[in-house]
């Protein structure tokens, strides 16, 4: 009988996901069009039992009373919402049937087929995941056949070598430090909430109490329930070690390099135009009115006139401290990125 824990998923060196597809400018709309090469995606329809129609006045950025809550939303192509499993509580082997495009998110999704019950589910696909790969979830514990293959010895290094594979969902305490993870949960038993967009990931950097001097042994055991996860913004957060995470990087990493090429594609996506405040009337915006392009010698503020509209104005109360943040992210309005590219700071 062949063991279920023989080899991790293969590393595909002939992957074209790092390249962008351009088009010959036969029309003005395709002259600047750029798209990631995703020839491995499923060309047919979605699995209909795991979808429901997206309809109603809520698709235009409106609430239940019909008022606009989010501007610049409306129209767009007809869609169906995919029901994605962010919890991954079902144990056992799951075979990836296909990789699909989801119009409701930037990352791709994978249709899984459980080997025992043939039940299907959607998950956020990892970068490099393809049809035929086998993934598992270890949120309910270590399977008996895996323990038997290791001789019944609970060796953390051996368990990590046999479970920390791309696409597998594990508790954070089972993941070795330095591993790239996505779909990260925040509480025990909860679903994944962080790093679900295309190309996003976090990195497990160790226990949150490794840098703290705790003398009492009972206090050490009670305090050592968190691990540190470093996000792409540079922020380091402490998260409960029983929370879940998926090994790998969220798929479609080149999503941010795409170029739509024309305004009509934004309308197909349900994005309406954004009008500048200085181009409005005085009754519609604090920057409106006047002769010429003048905002009236006032600081840039929002359309409601309550908060400044630039320079990273903080709306969080100082008394409401986010205690989960160990190291805050770097905030300087993009000057760090300009310094790294050699452009220098603008005075």
């Amino acid at each position: 009988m062949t063991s279920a824990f023989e080899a991790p998923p293969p590393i595909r060196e002939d992957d074209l996901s790092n390249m962008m597809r351009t088009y010959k400018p036969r029309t003005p709309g395709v002259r600047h069009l750029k798209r990631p090469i995703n020839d491995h995606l499923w060309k047919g329809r979605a699995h209909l039992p795991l979808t429901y129609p997206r309809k109603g006045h809520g698709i235009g950025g409106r609430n239940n009373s019909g008022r606009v809550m989010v501007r610049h939303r409306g129209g767009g192509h007809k869609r169906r919402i995919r029901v994605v499993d962010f919890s991954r509580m079902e144990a056992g082997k799951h075979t990836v049937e296909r990789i699909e495009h989801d119009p409701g998110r930037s990352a791709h999704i994978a249709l899984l087929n459980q080997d025992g019950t043939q039940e299907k589910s959607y998950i956020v696909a990892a970068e490099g995941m393809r049809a035929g790969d086998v993934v598992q979830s270890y949120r309910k514990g270590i399977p008996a056949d895996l323990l038997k293959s290791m001789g019944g010895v609970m060796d953390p290094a051996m368990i990590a070598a046999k479970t920390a594979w791309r696409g597998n969902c594990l508790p954070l305490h089972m993941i070795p430090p330095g591993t790239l993870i996505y779909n990260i949960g925040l509480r025990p038993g909860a679903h994944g909430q962080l790093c679900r967009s295309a190309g996003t990931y976090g990195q497990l950097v160790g226990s949150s109490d490794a840098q703290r001097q705790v003398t009492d042994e009972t206090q050490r055991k009670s305090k050592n329930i968190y691990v540190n996860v470093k996000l792409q913004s540079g922020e380091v957060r402490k998260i409960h070690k029983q929370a879940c995470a998926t090994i790998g990087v969220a798929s479609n990493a080149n999503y941010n390099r795409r170029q739509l090429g024309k305004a009509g594609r934004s309308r197909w996506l349900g994005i309406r135009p954004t009008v500048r405040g200085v181009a409005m009337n005085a009754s519609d915006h604090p920057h409106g009115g006047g002769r010429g392009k003048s905002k009236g010698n006032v600081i840039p503020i929002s359309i409601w006139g309550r908060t400044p509209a630039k320079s990273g104005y903080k709306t969080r109360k100082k008394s409401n401290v986010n205690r989960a943040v160990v190291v805050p992210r770097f905030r300087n309005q993009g000057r760090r990125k300009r310094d790294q590219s050699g452009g220098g700071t603008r005075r």
Side-chain angles (χ1 to χ4, degrees):
M1 181 178 178
T2 305
S3 175
F5 308 96
E6 290 184 350
I11 299 176
R12 299 173 175 87
E13 298 180 355
D14 57 345
D15 191 9
L16 299 178
S17 60
N18 291 327
M19 301 176 62
M20 303 295 290
R21 175 167 289 153
T22 57
Y23 300 86
K24 184 177 288 188
R26 291 189 174 92
T27 61
V30 299
R31 179 177 295 274
H32 301 289
L33 177 62
K34 287 185 179 180
R35 291 171 172 168
I37 299 178
N38 294 315
D39 295 336
H40 62 281
L41 294 182
W42 172 250
K43 304 299 190 297
R45 299 189 66 184
H47 186 61
L48 289 182
L50 294 177
T51 63
Y52 61 92
R54 176 178 178 263
K55 59 183 180 180
H57 62 261
I59 63 177
R62 290 164 172 80
N63 61 1
N64 57 355
S65 63
R67 293 182 179 272
V68 176
M69 295 288 103
V70 181
R71 300 189 302 155
H72 317 135
R73 298 276 184 92
H77 198 279
K78 183 172 64 174
R79 299 181 183 179
R80 293 185 70 88
I81 304 295
R82 275 70 168 172
V83 180
V84 180
D85 181 18
F86 297 111
S87 300
R88 303 283 302 274
M89 295 298 296
E90 194 68 29
K93 294 173 58 178
H94 292 72
T95 304
V96 178
E97 188 170 323
R98 62 197 185 211
I99 309 294
E100 297 184 9
H101 165 73
D102 187 357
R105 68 189 69 254
S106 57
H108 298 151
I109 57 177
L111 181 65
L112 303 185
N113 187 15
Q114 189 177 12
D115 294 356
T117 62
Q118 303 299 318
E119 184 178 356
K120 299 184 184 298
S121 61
Y122 277 128
I123 65 168
V124 178
E127 186 71 20
M129 183 182 290
R130 295 293 184 270
D133 291 353
V134 178
V135 297
Q136 296 197 48
S137 175
Y138 298 96
R139 296 197 65 179
K140 292 185 177 180
I142 303 174
D145 53 353
L146 177 58
L147 283 176
K148 185 177 180 180
S149 65
M150 296 187 301
V153 180
M154 295 286 291
D155 186 4
M158 184 64 68
I159 292 176
K162 291 180 175 291
T163 59
W165 297 347
R166 180 185 59 215
N168 287 354
C169 184
L170 295 86
L172 288 175
H173 68 89
M174 291 178 59
I175 302 176
T179 307
L180 299 183
I181 54 179
Y182 73 101
N183 191 30
I184 307 169
L186 295 178
R187 293 176 299 275
H191 62 276
Q193 295 176 257
L194 300 180
C195 303
R196 304 193 313 197
S197 293
T200 57
Y201 60 88
Q203 187 175 21
L204 196 67
V205 294
S207 173
S208 63
D209 295 317
Q211 303 174 354
R212 188 188 309 170
Q213 297 294 331
V214 181
T215 56
D216 189 10
E217 187 65 26
T218 59
Q219 187 179 4
R220 181 189 298 272
K221 292 181 179 180
S222 62
K223 291 288 185 179
N224 192 18
I225 60 174
Y226 296 100
V227 295
N228 288 344
V229 176
K230 184 178 181 180
L231 305 178
Q232 288 174 291
S233 62
E235 178 179 295
V236 178
R237 295 177 65 99
K238 64 176 184 179
I239 303 177
H240 200 283
K241 66 179 183 179
Q242 295 293 342
C244 68
T246 305
I247 306 297
V249 180
S251 55
N252 199 15
N254 283 330
Y255 175 81
N256 60 342
R257 296 175 55 193
R258 78 198 190 287
Q259 294 181 12
L260 298 181
K262 63 178 184 179
R265 284 194 177 85
S266 291
R267 304 306 300 265
W268 298 343
L269 297 175
I271 303 173
R272 300 187 68 240
T274 301
V275 181
R276 295 168 296 128
V278 295
M280 298 183 187
N281 296 323
S283 59
D284 298 325
H285 199 282
H287 298 170
R291 298 177 183 269
K293 299 178 181 179
S294 172
K295 64 179 184 297
N297 197 23
V298 296
I299 62 173
I301 55 179
S302 64
I303 189 174
W304 304 280
R306 293 193 294 266
T307 58
K310 59 178 299 185
S311 302
Y313 181 76
K314 296 180 180 179
T315 59
R316 189 184 188 98
K317 294 182 180 179
K318 292 184 179 180
S319 60
N320 186 18
V321 180
N322 190 353
R323 303 185 185 279
V325 176
V326 179
V327 179
R329 64 183 176 92
F330 196 75
R331 301 171 186 263
N332 66 347
Q333 289 81 53
R335 287 196 295 270
R336 178 182 61 169
K337 186 175 294 186
R338 289 198 298 268
D339 294 344
Q340 292 176 351
S341 61
T345 57
R346 183 177 300 175
R347 297 184 182 274

